[in-house]
Structures are given as C-alpha cells and as structure tokens.
Amino acid sequence: MRRDVFQAIADPTRRQIIGLLATSSLNLNAIADNFDISRPAISKHIRILTECGLVTIRQDGRERLCSADLQQLKEVAEWIAQYREFWNGKLDALDNFLTRSPRNRRKKQ
C-alpha cells in the first residue's frame, strides 16, 4: 500500500526519524536508540516512511541501512510555498487596511 507523504509527516516521531536520517544513514537499532519507544514501534514508523517514499532501505552486509529521500518533501514545500505567498499577501493587505482605517488614525493622535 502506498501511503500519502502528509500521513507520514503528521506524526512527530516520524518527523524526528526523518531528521535523523537527513544527515546520515542509520540501521534500525541506531534509530531506535534515539527514542523511548520499542524497536517494533520504530520498525512500524520506518515501514510507513518507506511506503510513502521518504525513506529507502538498502542491505549492507548483514545490516539494513535506512536513508532519507527528501525529494517528496521538497515537492510538498514547493506546493505549500504558493499558499504561503497567497496568505502573506492577504495578511499584508489586511494590515494595510487596518493601518489606514480612520478609526485607527484617531486612536494614534
């Protein structure tokens, strides 16, 4: 089953895992050492991150190393940026309106 990237980043533990893997590849035990939850719980989080394409796992001898694949997060960031631009424009217009409002000018005098 292919999961949605938003489902993956909705969970704070998964966001922390992505943060850990953004700087280096780690095996499951090394990832689990950073959390106060069970290794099976970490495995479940890794599985979800893998299903949505944010984490890749490669075999290195006897170890399975997890790495972050941040391309999908870049696409999400670009999608969000257009809405940030839209809402910043709306909020700037509201600020200008409120600043120029006759009621606010009387209060300042």
Side-chain angles (χ1 to χ4, degrees):
M1 166 173 61
R2 186 88 172 159
R3 294 182 187 258
D4 187 272
V5 69
F6 291 103
Q7 184 180 15
I9 62 176
D11 184 275
T13 301
R14 289 193 286 270
R15 289 193 304 267
Q16 286 180 284
I17 291 171
I18 292 168
L20 285 171
L21 296 176
T23 57
S24 63
S25 297
L26 299 170
N27 65 28
L28 288 174
N29 289 328
I31 295 168
D33 288 344
N34 290 280
F35 298 92
D36 291 329
I37 58 177
S38 68
R39 191 178 178 289
I42 292 295
S43 292
K44 182 179 177 182
H45 286 299
I46 293 293
R47 187 182 80 240
I48 291 169
L49 290 168
T50 302
E51 288 172 356
C52 69
L54 291 173
V55 168
T56 58
I57 300 175
R58 67 179 165 78
Q59 196 75 29
D60 186 21
R62 292 179 53 196
E63 285 192 296
R64 296 177 65 210
L65 293 176
C66 302
S67 303
D69 182 356
L70 304 178
Q71 179 59 38
Q72 284 195 28
L73 288 181
K74 181 182 176 201
E75 292 171 14
V76 169
E78 290 169 355
W79 181 78
I80 289 171
Q82 67 184 343
Y83 293 101
R84 180 181 299 122
E85 210 173 289
F86 170 79
W87 284 110
N88 283 340
K90 293 291 185 187
L91 292 172
D92 288 345
L94 177 61
D95 182 49
N96 288 338
F97 173 77
L98 293 174
T99 302
R100 294 182 180 143
S101 158
R103 172 185 271 174
N104 285 337
R105 275 188 247 137
R106 277 186 254 134
K107 287 181 182 178
K108 290 180 182 179
Q109 293 175 356

